[in-house]
Amino acid sequence: MCGIFGFVSTRELPVALVVDALRTLEYRGYDSWGIAYATSERGGERLAVFKQAGRLPQTLPPLPTSPIALGHTRWATHGGVTDENAHPHLDCSATLAIVHNGIIENYRPLREALEQVGHHFRSGTDSEIFAHLLEDSLQRARRVSESTFSEPPGLLVEAVRQAFAQIRGLNAFIVLHLPSRQLVAVKSTSPLVIGIGREGVFVSSDAVALVGHAEQIYYLRDDEVALLSPQGPRLFDRCTGELRQPQWEPLTLRPADTSLGGFPHYLIKEIHEQPHVIERILRERLDGARQLAELIRRSYGTFLVGCGTAGYAALCGSYLFSRIARRHVNAVIASEFKYQEHFLTDRSLVIALTQSGETVDVIEAVQAAKRRGATVAALVNVTGSTVARLADFTVPLSAGPEQSVLSTKAYTAKLAILLLVAHILNGSEHVGIDVLWRAIDGMELALAPATLDRIRAVAEQLVNAEHCYVIGRGLSYPTALEAALKIKEVTYIHAEGFAGGELKHGVIALIQDGSPCLVFSPLDETRPDILSGAMEVRSRGGWVVGISPEPDEAFHVHIPIADVGDASPLVAIVPAQLLAYELAVRRGLDPDKPRNLAKSVTVK
Ligand code: F6R
């Protein structure tokens, strides 16, 4: 989940460039940060390292220029959040610096063995092991080189291959080798993307950090090692060491895609982008939706899998397919999928829902499906990601970079595609298109100042709440779960989403005087029952906020939304997203970087 970045150039570039890239990557983890670069200050070339626990400060003392540098922003796994555990880590000779994303699963025996042969560790991380392993491999390769290898680049790649072969787990590394002034990138599952630009060669765990630096990019594969020298990158087969010819592609992201665009936070920017995202889907993804519908039609058993917000999109998808296409589709949390994969055959279709395409639980679900011969489709936002590459068929979400840790626009994008696919399966594509255009208008209305005023008034009431309950039925049940997740992850208020019908089976015991309860009540078949539930909460002292096209006596506060039929989950979630944002701001919390979280969950 960490963010890693490096550059190498024929000329001196500002080291501050690495810090700026880390700011872009900070969504991947923000427990600590650090940089390393080659410097000739104080005579002789050496590695300068600066690292510290905590977030990147707004201002830093001026940094020098250097022809080679790398940096890291950390989501701690092994080793506490301390300055020593921040990356980069050095080998004993301080000529190798490494930054790491992942977990070295066999770190214990490796560390013991390295300590026994005299390596001195400065941190409690698993990551540092790689620097020392590499130091050893390099020494061994040097000894052998007298007979086998003739030039240092070959040596370095060989040493990285050897060291990487010894570790287990899903890992990505950038190595800075001071003597040869080169970087090496290597990975297994965790993402790395290489960029070539006018100023040099760059490497990052996400293409967003290459914007403004690279024109051409290449997503490194698991079976490759990249050697990045000032003259350019070279790729090698990780098993054989043979040279490879990568297929470079243009970097299509633009600075505007990754900037705040006048908004104070990415979360609110991305909430506001949702109508445009749905419009883009209607313009660009109809073909993809039709092909996915065909895959579903031909399959015998379809599974929607995802985690967190994407898991709720999957659940909502199962309701949409049921009511629109009269089709049973299973929704499974990706991390639980491997315990249910026994149903899969070569006629099954597994549809992975994922914004990042790097969520390890989703990757494992996809791999399990492939092992059993199932077809894998993916609704994925990051097009070069691991899931996008593993899938047999992909419908890109077209949501643009989602930089806030909270998923918003990728959620509604997934719902829009699933709704379209359900209508296509039902033979009512035009109805699906029409209802999504209505949803776009409905989202605009939910984002309008009049609605926002009501949401802000609710936020004022809830700002000191400890608990909050959210209920919905049918199509609105996944909405209730997703609304509660948005509130809890960014405000730290304990928010629980429930199926409205479950209230009286236990949950209602929690309701007491003033307990806030959000109620989703679209004008569908769930309305009478969900309003009864709301009334039952109100009678027990609960404070009821209704998110609904129409008012009702059960509501203390009514947040009006448009009536958009089956697209109601796309519209109803918007006030809840806004409420979560408004609460976070009022509670003095950073809406883009909630504690303990990171955007790409690449560890188990
Ligand atoms: C919540 C959130 C997470 C992600 C989940 C899956 O706001 O962002 O629950 O939805 O970690 O991530 P992706 O979609 O990248 O697989």
Side-chain angles (χ1 to χ4, degrees), residues 177-216:
H177 183 238
L178 184 67
S180 65
R181 284 202 180 179
Q182 295 180 107
L183 299 177
V184 183
V186 64
K187 58 160 286 226
S188 164
T189 305
S190 297
L192 276 180
V193 54
I194 299 165
I196 322 178
R198 264 177 248 127
E199 303 272 41
V201 185
F202 302 83
V203 55
S204 169
S205 29
D206 189 331
V208 290
L210 301 179
V211 175
H213 302 306
E215 280 100 47
Q216 300 282 312

Side-chain angles (χ1 to χ4, degrees), residues 307-310 354-356 359 405-407 414 485-486 489 601:
C307 294
T309 290
T354 171
Q355 189 285 129
S356 63
T359 303
V405 164
L406 278 76
S407 190
K414 287 172 202 134
L485 178 61
K486 288 288 91 84
E489 67 184 332
V601 188

Side-chain angles (χ1 to χ4, degrees), residues 111 115 137 184 204 211 259 290 602:
R111 180 165 176 151
E115 280 174 337
S137 301
V184 183
S204 169
V211 175
S259 73
R290 287 180 194 132
T602 56

